[in-house]
Amino acid sequence: MKLMAIEKEMLAGKHGKATQKSMEILVTLGEIYDATRMIPVTSVQIAGVSYANLREPGLEWLAEMARDGKVRVLTTLNPAGMDLDNWRALGIDPEFAKNQKRVVDAFAKMGIITTCTCTPYLIGNLPHFGEHIAWAESSAVCFANSVIGAQTNREGGPSALAAALTGVTPEYGYHLDENRQAHITIKVKAKVRGTARFGTLGKVIGDILDGNAEWTIPYIKGISQANTDELKAFCASVATYGGTALFHMRGITPNKTKVPQDLLLVTEKDMADAEKELNDEEAAIDFVSIGCPHASIREIRRIAELVEGKQVTKETWVTTARPTKRIADRVGYTAIIEAAGIKFACDTCCVVAPIKGRFKGLATDSAKGCYYAQGRHKFKTKHRSLEECIEEALS
Ligand code: F3S
């Protein structure tokens, strides 16, 4: 790789140990992927924040990077394993809480904004079209590339941190326009409205793309409208089931692409088949969670409308970014929702929180949530619209 003078200095250790280690990671990555140079990034999103995933070896590495590392660009964090303030009310073990705080402190020491959300684009880490960024978190990567038209690879935790500490990333993959063209056209012939249905569509398309090395970027037509919440649900799902980091949706997403000749259809039957997989037949629901990806203020507003003056009978969480909850606090949605017995879980979510075995059945509007609840937590799942999930919580 051809490095600029400052990048060579970083590699030689002239800007500290953490920066040197970071540049070593990035050069190695660049060599693996045949990048010829580094390019500047303006925004970073770091995943791998839960202590449940990092454990002591991960934490030790972070502590070492935090000794002299300081981020050079706007950097935010993915959800942690708990609400950093309200963890007791969510039943988190104090020992886990202590360790999770050590993780977040290490990130804070490096100058990272410890917002802990998978929807950084809703709370101020919002790149513009064509901006080069280095994001981890599959749903946010898919959203940034596809809905916003920014350019990022699917970074891992270490490579995202390395980009934050150096301000650069190797130029390969989705940073190059020629790698952003669609490979397959998918025509949707089913009715798709609401976050749950968009999640189901993400599963159908993700399952088509999964494991297919030639079709990684779909050109999707047949969707006449989609709001931001529906698109974030779709991104989370298609990234989970298909490993998709970029899609084009005719009339909705901003990137230009050639339209591939190869055509596949998504029918009502495909959607119904996917729904069957997302729903366990005998799911006895004792847990309801909304906000995967993290709930927007519009979704929180809708929940407040649905529960005003009522009481839930099951453990129910709304997972969201803390800045979004602050808006909800201000306008009174939080008071209504909490009066109904629902708990806010900021900074975390029903997937990364250490809740394996605590519940039997989860109702959620998130297809991604179902995937991890079934696989990681061994819960049975019910995949329903937001309204039906709230109905389940109240019943
Ligand atoms: Fe976000 Fe957790 Fe879902 S990180 S996308 S709320 S699994």
Side-chain angles (χ1 to χ4, degrees):
M1 286 184 79
K2 197 165 171 2
L3 297 183
M4 311 267 283
I6 175 103
E7 293 156 2
K8 284 183 187 158
E9 280 180 20
M10 288 178 180
L11 196 56
K14 290 196 181 148
H15 295 266
K17 282 216 164 87
T19 310
Q20 181 180 31
K21 186 88 220 141
S22 299
M23 192 51 83
E24 283 169 7
I25 292 171
L26 297 175
V27 168
T28 305
L29 258 182
E31 283 170 357
I32 291 170
Y33 289 103
D34 286 334
T36 56
R37 59 173 187 161
M38 297 289 174
I39 50 169
V41 292
T42 45
S43 156
V44 172
Q45 166 77 1
I46 292 178
V49 179
S50 175
Y51 180 76
N53 299 333
L54 283 167
R55 296 285 157 191
E56 280 309 303
L59 182 50
E60 267 168 36
W61 185 75
L62 275 183
E64 197 187 315
M65 297 299 270
R67 238 168 250 144
D68 69 349
K70 279 277 177 277
V71 296
R72 288 164 193 258
V73 296
L74 177 66
T75 304
T76 45
L77 280 189
N78 229 34
M82 63 182 201
D83 186 310
L84 297 174
D85 294 344
N86 199 26
W87 52 270
R88 277 193 188 83
L90 300 175
I92 300 295
D93 171 56
E95 187 60 24
F96 180 88
K98 193 177 88 195
N99 288 324
Q100 183 63 72
K101 283 191 176 159
R102 286 166 63 212
V103 171
V104 173
D105 288 348
F107 282 122
K109 195 165 172 232
M110 288 185 266
I112 293 163
I113 299 171
T114 53
T115 40
C116 300
T117 180
C118 51
T119 56
Y121 47 88
L122 293 182
I123 55 104
N125 190 353
L126 176 63
H128 62 67
F129 181 86
E131 200 166 337
H132 291 274
I133 61 176
W135 281 17
E137 167 49 36
S138 61
S139 71
V141 165
C142 188
F143 192 95
N145 273 326
S146 315
V147 180
I148 300 171
Q151 299 191 214
T152 180
N153 287 317
R154 276 173 70 133
E155 301 294 346
S159 67
L161 180 60
L165 294 175
T166 58
V168 296
T169 195
E171 187 184 40
Y172 70 94
Y174 294 110
H175 291 289
L176 298 167
D177 291 344
E178 64 264 31
N179 295 332
R180 297 173 64 87
Q181 295 292 308
H183 306 126
I184 175 79
T185 299
I186 296 181
K187 183 167 183 186
V188 180
K189 298 192 77 181
K191 196 165 167 241
V192 189
R193 294 298 301 274
T195 49
R197 285 285 282 180
F198 269 86
T200 307
L201 179 65
K203 172 169 165 50
V204 173
I205 294 179
D207 285 345
I208 292 171
L209 303 175
D210 185 35
N212 189 321
E214 283 172 28
W215 294 345
T216 52
I217 305 175
Y219 177 81
I220 301 160
K221 57 186 193 179
I223 301 291
S224 56
Q225 64 182 90
N227 67 27
T228 306
D229 295 333
E230 291 166 334
L231 289 168
K232 83 175 161 66
F234 178 77
C235 287
S237 180
V238 78
T240 297
Y241 291 95
T244 308
L246 170 62
F247 65 87
H248 304 269
M249 199 177 271
R250 187 165 78 181
I252 289 172
T253 60
N255 294 292
K256 297 258 181 301
T257 181
K258 286 191 212 114
V259 178
Q261 294 295 310
D262 288 340
L263 175 74
L264 290 174
L265 299 181
V266 172
T267 62
E268 289 290 355
K269 176 166 186 319
D270 297 323
M271 294 286 281
D273 289 347
E275 277 303 338
K276 268 192 208 140
E277 287 178 40
L278 292 167
N279 283 278
D280 289 298
E281 262 173 29
E282 350 62 66
I285 301 303
D286 54 358
F287 182 38
V288 179
S289 186
I290 304 287
C292 170
H294 271 173
S296 68
I297 194 65
R298 174 171 34 203
E299 289 170 311
I300 292 173
R301 176 172 176 265
R302 181 73 185 126
I303 294 167
E305 277 171 9
L306 293 167
V307 302
E308 186 158 19
K310 301 177 183 160
Q311 275 298 314
V312 295
T313 59
K314 302 174 175 101
E315 178 85 2
T316 304
W317 291 8
V318 174
T319 58
T320 191
R322 192 164 297 281
T324 308
K325 175 166 176 289
R326 290 220 173 94
I327 301 172
D329 294 348
R330 192 83 191 242
V331 293
Y333 303 152
T334 302
I336 294 169
I337 290 169
E338 289 184 339
I342 296 176
K343 293 171 184 166
F344 272 90
C346 297
D347 318 311
T348 189
C349 75
C350 67
V351 169
V352 294
I355 53 172
K356 185 174 177 180
R358 248 178 80 186
F359 304 103
K360 291 194 181 68
L362 167 73
T364 179
D365 64 336
S366 168
K368 175 175 178 175
C370 290
Y371 178 90
Y372 284 104
Q374 290 171 345
R376 184 181 293 192
H377 295 324
K378 308 293 173 211
F379 299 162
K380 303 274 186 202
T381 58
K382 244 189 200 179
H383 183 242
R384 296 287 192 273
S385 68
L386 182 148
E387 287 75 11
E388 287 165 333
C389 287
I390 295 297
E391 225 172 84
E392 178 76 50
L394 294 168
S395 69

